Amino acid sequence: MVEKQGYACQEHLVTTQDGYILSMQRIPKGQSGEAPDKPPVLLQHGLLMDGITWMLNPPDQSLAFILADNGFDVWLANTRGTKYSRGHKTLSPNKSAYWDWSWDQLVAYDLSATFQYVSDQTGQKLHYVGHSLGTLIALAAFSEKKLVNMLRSAALLSPIAYLNQMSSLLARAAVDIFLAEDLYWLGVDEFDPRGEAVAKLLEDICNKPGIDCTNLMTSFTGQNCCLNSSNVDVFLEHEPQSTATKNLIHIAQMVRNGNIAMFDYDDKDKNMEHYGQPTPPAYNMANIPNDLPLFLSYGGKDMLSDVNDVQVLLDSLKDHDGDKLVVQFREDYAHADFVMAVNAKQAVYDPLMAFFKLQ
C-alpha cells in the first residue's frame, strides 16, 4: 500500500520479550525523496485494526503519508495477532497459548518493544500517535512512568481510557451478553471478526430489539461525518483484523467496572498468583507525568470514546501542566473520522503536526 502510492517502504521485524515477532513498516522519506528533517513518529492503530489504519485514504488525506511529506520519519506498528504480526519464537497462532494475552501484554511488551526499536534505529526520542486502543495502551504505560524517557510527545485520537459511559448499543450488547466470555468458554481463543463463530454471535446480537445492524460500522462507532464510500471499501478489503478473545474480555471488564485495571481472572486465587493481591492492580491516570506533552482530540458523535468518558480522563489530568496539554473537540466527528475523514488533515492532522513542532 505504501509503495503503490510512490513512497519508499522498509520492513522491520521486532521481537517482544515474551517471544512475539511483530512486523513494522517504515516510510523513511516523503514523495520529494528528501531525508527526513524531523524526529521519528510511531503510529499505533486501534482494536481489530492494523497499520493500514493510517493509509486508508489517498496520500494527501492519510496521516502516515502526510507526516512523511512533512519531513517526519514514519513508523507503523502492527499489534500481535494481526495478519502482519503473527510470528512467535515458539508458538503457532493455531495454538491457544499464542492467544493468551490482553491489552496488558500490549502495554508491557508490544509497545515497549516498538518504542525501543524505533529509538535504537534512529537514535532519537519519538513522537507517538495512537487511535482508540492505541491510546489506552499508551496512557496505561505512561501512568506507570514507562516509555516516557524515549518520548517527545503523544497525540491521542479518540482516546479510550474510561469506558463505562460508552453509548454504542452494539458494543454494549456484546458486553451485556458476555459475548467474549462465551467465545472463550467455547474454546475460541482467536477473535476473528471474519470467522464463523463471531458471525454467528453477531447475528444473535443483531436480532435483539433496538439493535440496528444495517450499517455495522455506524452501529459500533457512531455516525461518522466525513467518510467517502471508496475509503470504506479499502477499509473492508483489509480490515477488520483478529485479536485475542481474552483482550475483548478485558475491555468488557472496563465497560462493566468503570475503571482501568489489569485483567481480572475473576478468581481471588488466580489474581493472587498473577498480581500478589486478590484484585487486579489499577492503572492510575493521575500518575501520568504532568510535564509530558499530550495532544488529545475527541469527537462529539463518537460512541466508543464517549464525551463523558473522555471528561473523566480529562478530570484525572487536571494537574497537568497547562502548556503541555492541548485538547481538541470536534463536534461532528465519530470514532473512524479521526483516521478516515476526508477533512481530517485540516481538522486534526495540521494542528497535531503544529503541536509536534513545538515539542
Side-chain angles (χ1 to χ4, degrees):
M1 280 191 84
V2 176
E3 287 175 346
K4 210 164 65 180
Q5 301 288 4
Y7 292 76
C9 184
Q10 299 171 359
E11 188 75 35
H12 293 257
L13 291 177
V14 184
T15 305
T16 65
Q17 266 184 317
D18 59 345
Y20 288 79
I21 300 167
L22 312 177
S23 107
M24 292 181 80
Q25 289 73 35
R26 180 188 201 178
I27 308 175
K29 47 184 183 274
Q31 270 191 322
S32 69
E34 286 172 28
D37 57 0
K38 295 186 184 69
V41 182
L42 174 61
L43 302 179
Q44 175 62 57
H45 62 82
L47 183 67
L48 306 179
M49 298 291 288
D50 58 21
I52 284 172
T53 296
W54 308 103
M55 304 183 290
L56 290 166
N57 283 355
D60 60 341
Q61 297 171 7
S62 296
L63 183 59
F65 299 124
I66 291 169
L67 286 167
D69 284 332
N70 276 275
F72 290 94
D73 178 7
V74 178
W75 293 77
L76 304 167
N78 298 280
T79 301
R80 59 181 67 187
T82 56
K83 72 179 170 203
Y84 301 105
S85 296
R86 291 176 83 88
H88 191 282
K89 291 206 295 206
T90 56
L91 298 171
S92 146
N94 306 333
K95 296 277 182 285
S96 69
Y98 175 93
W99 297 99
D100 184 17
W101 52 269
S102 81
W103 59 262
D104 284 333
Q105 281 67 46
L106 304 184
V107 174
Y109 301 114
D110 288 31
L111 202 58
S112 53
T114 51
F115 260 74
Q116 192 64 58
Y117 188 84
V118 173
S119 170
D120 290 347
Q121 289 286 313
T122 61
Q124 296 190 60
K125 289 186 174 190
L126 52 128
H127 294 295
Y128 176 86
V129 184
H131 176 243
S132 191
L133 191 74
T135 68
L136 172 65
I137 58 177
L139 288 163
F142 304 158
S143 75
E144 298 190 321
K145 310 278 199 280
K146 288 178 181 160
L147 311 179
V148 289
N149 59 325
M150 290 183 267
L151 189 67
R152 286 170 189 269
S153 73
L156 309 174
L157 310 180
S158 240
I160 296 280
Y162 299 93
L163 276 174
N164 66 323
Q165 300 181 75
M166 179 179 73
S167 49
S168 166
L169 290 175
L170 196 55
R172 279 224 167 260
V175 169
D176 292 344
I177 65 167
F178 286 79
L179 178 144
E181 285 85 345
D182 285 354
L183 283 171
Y184 201 61
W185 289 116
L186 291 170
V188 181
D189 303 296
E190 173 183 356
F191 183 89
D192 176 1
R194 295 168 184 243
E196 213 172 301
V198 175
K200 175 76 190 78
L201 274 158
L202 200 54
E203 200 180 314
D204 293 348
I205 294 179
C206 291
N207 288 332
K208 289 197 173 321
I211 304 285
D212 174 17
C213 290
T214 44
N215 180 342
L216 263 184
M217 192 175 194
T218 299
S219 309
F220 264 117
T221 63
Q223 185 65 55
N224 295 290
C225 69
C226 307
L227 312 191
N228 74 25
S229 54
S230 63
N231 60 16
V232 174
D233 292 341
V234 177
F235 169 85
L236 291 171
E237 199 181 313
H238 297 277
E239 319 296 334
Q241 293 283 323
S242 289
T243 189
T245 303
K246 183 176 178 180
N247 190 28
L248 293 182
I249 295 176
H250 193 179
I251 292 165
Q253 289 173 354
M254 296 170 64
V255 178
R256 282 197 278 269
N257 303 336
N259 63 358
I260 312 176
M262 292 186 180
F263 185 84
D264 190 347
Y265 288 89
D266 245 2
D267 172 322
K268 283 186 175 156
D269 296 339
K270 273 196 166 169
N271 282 336
M272 278 306 289
E273 186 189 317
H274 281 90
Y275 308 122
Q277 56 185 65
T279 54
Y283 292 100
N284 183 355
M285 294 295 114
N287 287 342
I288 293 173
N290 289 340
D291 57 353
L292 180 66
L294 295 176
F295 175 94
L296 256 79
S297 187
Y298 68 111
K301 299 282 189 285
D302 196 330
M303 297 200 312
L304 294 171
S305 172
D306 188 88
V307 287
N308 298 309
D309 283 328
V310 174
Q311 194 51 56
V312 178
L313 171 64
L314 292 173
D315 290 346
S316 67
L317 297 175
K318 64 181 186 304
D319 296 330
H320 213 80
D321 294 0
D323 60 338
K324 298 291 186 195
L325 179 62
V326 170
V327 179
Q328 184 193 46
F329 176 64
R330 290 285 311 184
E331 180 60 57
D332 57 339
Y333 266 34
H335 205 67
D337 283 312
F338 288 92
V339 290
M340 288 172 70
V342 293
N343 63 349
K345 179 184 186 293
Q346 296 75 20
V348 181
Y349 306 155
D350 285 346
L352 178 155
M353 287 189 293
F355 174 78
F356 281 173
K357 286 169 188 168
L358 293 174
Q359 310 311 324

